[in-house]
Amino acid sequence: MASLEAKAEQEPLLSDSLPGSREWDIIETEEHYKSRWRSIRILYLTMFLSSVGFSIVIMSIWPYLQKIDQTADASFLGWVIASFSLGQMVASPIFGLWSNYRPRKEPLIVSTLISVGANCLYAYVHVPASHNKYYMLVARGLVGFGAGNVAVIRSYIAGATSLQERTSSMANTSACQALGFILGPVFQTCFALIGEKGVTWDTIKLQINMYTAPVLLGAFLGILNIILILTILREHRVDDSGRQCKNVNFEEASTDEIQAPQGNIDQVAVVASNVLFFVILFIFALFETIVTPLTMDMYAWTREQAVLYDGIILAALGVEAVIIFMGVKLLSKKIGERAILLGGLIVVWVGFFILLPWGNQFPKIQWEDLHNNSIPNTTFGEIIITLWKSPREDHNEGPTGCPIEQAWCLYTPMIYLAQFLTSAVLIGIGYPSCNVMSYTLYSKILGPKPQGVYMGWLTASGSAARILGPVFISQVYTSWGPRWAFSLVCGMVVLTITLLGVVYKRLIAYSIRHGRSQE
């Protein structure tokens, strides 16, 4: 019989059949079941390491960039941050297509090797005599390119789980991804104890300091991950009932395997799911971006206070997201994935509606030119810069408040702290619910056929959202203020809810659409 841990992880949603029961044994042997879940857990780890690769240096990129290349400005910082998502957007469909026709170990190992090499490059960007900032740009872009294996991971898990297991598995995958985003900055903070100078290995010109130690750890974990993929991961694919299916990814064929059922995928549902996923990530990306400048403008926080308090808020939202990912596994059994997706979007809309300014109290006006001490003037990089700029660079924090250069500061009421915190909690509930449900529904719509390319496009749409969201909010917020910015977001969510209502009945599993099982 499978272990209790495996039973809990599976959490069947559509029936009471459990591993070890007579009905299940007809479909799957105990040996196949254990091998399948070992492989899935290895991919949970791979997803975790992929998200750590993004977040482990996110708080130190700006000071490191300034240290290695004095010509780097805030505008270039924006490109460095965006290069990760750009690389992932390009790589996701490529790795997805590769995984459809070859064993999935291949794209997983190659993508991880690219990430390992990119992390090593990042550790050496200080060595060249000039153009160091471009080496950093390439390094972060390649780390993002390696992170394109997210499409392969979700494709594998979708194909290796039955309908009963799908929501639980996708929730676990998203939880591992969220946990990586939470722990990455924690690792960075621990490495800060090494200091800027650190130690130097002269023979190979390697500096181990607070900037390079995190990526060297990432490279080591990547190598460990490759070893685990080579030794433990096996190709598995099952249909919606949990029966093994034969496909090109299988290393060994079994006489008990069945052919994948034939039928057309609902392309309208596929396109709608991609649009829904884009909007979901777009909205959360712009919220993460605007948190620091919004709180500095509204509450006259210094850079040091903003980094500390907003870091605590975002970390709390990350923990909240992990709890929500686990909770939706249980809730989906009672009300279904579509209802949770709709409810999540409604909660997000309420969260942004609460953020709309009201009342007669106005923010403190910052009359002096603070340059980059608060909200940037034009570029995404200048908005992000507040997260990295160290208070040690300027012991005089200078004036705080809403810069007079932003005309809306003079007539827009402030957003009360209680408003902001309530909104953050609601968005922290709505976003993870929508995220995992959109992935789950998408995988069920695609059915038992290889999903690599489709998952690649979904991952690419999410990467595009993470690029465009910060650009959108930086321009609208700076020019027109929070009232216009959050009103437009509310309108966007209303249109998204309308789209979901139009395609609601089409967002059903492949096997249900073709009459092979009941909803």
Side-chain angles (χ1 to χ4, degrees):
M1 177 179 287
S3 65
L4 292 175
E5 178 186 355
K7 287 182 182 179
E9 183 171 21
Q10 179 190 5
E11 286 197 38
L13 299 180
L14 302 180
S15 75
D16 296 325
S17 301
L18 290 171
S21 69
R22 185 181 179 194
E23 179 182 352
W24 188 276
D25 288 339
I26 297 174
I27 296 176
E28 182 176 34
T29 65
E30 181 179 358
E31 180 182 358
H32 178 269
Y33 173 84
K34 288 182 177 179
S35 174
R36 183 164 62 90
W37 279 101
R38 277 196 300 267
S39 298
I40 290 173
R41 292 187 187 107
I42 289 298
L43 295 185
Y44 289 161
L45 174 63
T46 305
M47 178 66 85
F48 170 78
L49 295 178
S50 177
S51 60
V52 167
F54 171 78
S55 61
I56 198 169
V57 298
I58 202 67
M59 297 300 292
S60 64
I61 285 181
W62 175 237
Y64 190 37
L65 182 61
Q66 287 184 311
K67 180 180 178 180
I68 64 171
D69 196 328
Q70 297 297 322
T71 66
D73 57 12
S75 178
F76 192 82
L77 172 65
W79 283 105
V80 173
I81 301 300
S83 63
F84 180 94
S85 295
L86 284 170
Q88 188 179 49
M89 184 172 64
V90 172
S92 297
I94 297 173
F95 287 134
L97 180 63
W98 188 351
S99 70
N100 274 6
Y101 296 99
R102 295 290 300 168
R104 282 163 285 198
K105 280 185 178 181
E106 294 179 5
L108 286 172
I109 291 172
V110 170
S111 60
T112 307
L113 279 173
I114 291 173
S115 294
V116 169
N119 280 326
C120 292
L121 174 61
Y122 187 92
Y124 278 94
V125 294
H126 65 280
V127 173
S130 61
H131 305 299
N132 305 76
K133 63 183 182 181
Y134 295 107
Y135 288 101
M136 178 181 282
L137 179 69
V138 171
R140 291 302 297 169
L142 287 175
V143 171
F145 194 91
N149 60 16
V150 168
V152 182
I153 294 169
R154 291 198 183 271
S155 170
Y156 181 100
I157 293 174
T161 53
S162 65
L163 281 183
Q164 296 176 352
E165 304 163 325
R166 192 74 49 79
T167 301
S168 176
S169 301
M170 287 296 180
N172 292 340
T173 307
S174 296
C176 289
Q177 188 176 35
L179 192 61
F181 285 128
I182 296 170
L183 293 181
V186 175
F187 294 150
Q188 170 69 77
T189 302
C190 295
F191 285 120
L193 299 175
I194 301 175
E196 280 195 336
K197 186 176 181 181
V199 296
T200 302
W201 189 350
D202 293 325
T203 306
I204 57 175
K205 297 182 179 180
L206 176 63
Q207 291 183 1
I208 302 177
N209 53 36
M210 61 184 289
Y211 303 126
T212 61
V215 295
L216 293 175
L217 173 64
F220 171 77
L221 293 176
I223 294 172
L224 179 62
N225 192 28
I226 291 173
I227 295 172
L228 292 174
I229 291 173
L230 286 171
T231 56
I232 298 177
L233 184 70
R234 297 292 180 267
E235 298 289 347
H236 291 288
R237 183 161 166 252
V238 299
D239 67 5
D240 287 347
S241 299
R243 295 171 295 181
Q244 280 188 265
C245 294
K246 182 185 295 185
N247 91 55
V248 70
N249 301 107
F250 268 75
E251 297 163 338
E252 297 178 2
S254 168
T255 55
D256 295 331
E257 293 169 353
I258 63 171
Q259 296 292 333
Q262 300 299 313
N264 295 324
I265 296 173
D266 187 346
Q267 297 297 335
V268 173
V270 167
V271 173
S273 297
N274 274 275
V275 173
L276 291 170
F277 188 68
F278 174 87
V279 174
I280 290 165
L281 263 70
F282 181 91
I283 289 172
F284 191 71
L286 66 84
F287 177 75
E288 284 185 312
T289 301
I290 206 61
V291 163
T292 297
L294 178 69
T295 53
M296 292 180 73
D297 288 348
M298 293 294 152
Y299 314 123
W301 287 353
T302 63
R303 290 193 308 268
E304 187 175 19
Q305 289 174 322
V307 170
L308 174 62
Y309 299 154
D310 293 334
I312 293 173
I313 291 170
L314 291 177
L317 291 183
V319 174
E320 181 186 16
V322 173
I323 296 172
I324 296 298
F325 285 138
M326 298 296 99
V328 295
K329 296 195 295 184
L330 301 174
L331 187 59
S332 63
K333 291 191 293 185
K334 298 181 178 181
I335 64 175
E337 290 91 353
R338 293 177 297 178
I340 294 177
L341 178 58
L342 177 60
L345 286 172
I346 293 173
V347 171
V348 169
W349 181 87
V350 173
F352 277 101
F353 183 79
I354 289 175
L355 268 182
L356 293 175
W358 57 276
N360 297 319
Q361 187 174 348
F362 294 87
K364 173 187 173 183
I365 301 299
Q366 177 191 130
W367 294 100
E368 296 185 25
D369 180 15
L370 297 187
H371 301 291
N372 287 328
N373 279 8
S374 184
I375 188 69
N377 294 323
T378 54
T379 66
F380 162 49
E382 291 172 330
I383 271 190
I384 300 299
I385 205 172
T386 58
L387 289 172
W388 290 273
K389 195 159 186 176
S390 170
R392 289 175 296 180
E393 297 174 18
D394 184 1
H395 293 283
N396 179 17
E397 286 286 354
T400 57
C402 200
I404 190 61
E405 292 85 0
Q406 297 173 167
W408 56 264
C409 294
L410 297 173
Y411 57 81
T412 302
M414 74 174 293
I415 297 171
Y416 296 96
L417 185 59
Q419 272 183 273
F420 173 72
L421 294 177
T422 303
S423 171
V425 170
L426 291 174
I427 294 171
I429 293 172
Y431 166 72
S433 303
C434 294
N435 180 284
V436 69
M437 289 303 110
S438 57
Y439 265 123
T440 303
L441 286 169
Y442 191 67
S443 66
K444 290 185 176 183
I445 290 167
L446 298 177
K449 295 183 178 181
Q451 299 185 4
V453 174
Y454 285 103
M455 282 293 179
W457 287 119
L458 189 71
T459 304
S461 69
S463 299
R466 287 196 296 271
I467 297 169
L468 297 177
V471 174
F472 166 83
I473 197 66
S474 66
Q475 299 300 320
V476 177
Y477 179 86
T478 303
S479 302
W480 299 337
R483 178 170 285 164
W484 270 101
F486 300 139
S487 293
L488 289 174
V489 173
C490 286
M492 192 179 304
V493 176
V494 169
L495 291 176
T496 306
I497 292 173
T498 303
L499 172 63
L500 177 59
V502 171
V503 299
Y504 193 86
K505 293 184 178 180
R506 304 187 75 139
L507 301 181
I508 56 176
Y510 178 95
S511 58
I512 295 174
R513 179 170 175 262
H514 290 280
R516 296 187 178 95
S517 62
Q518 295 182 349
E519 193 168 6

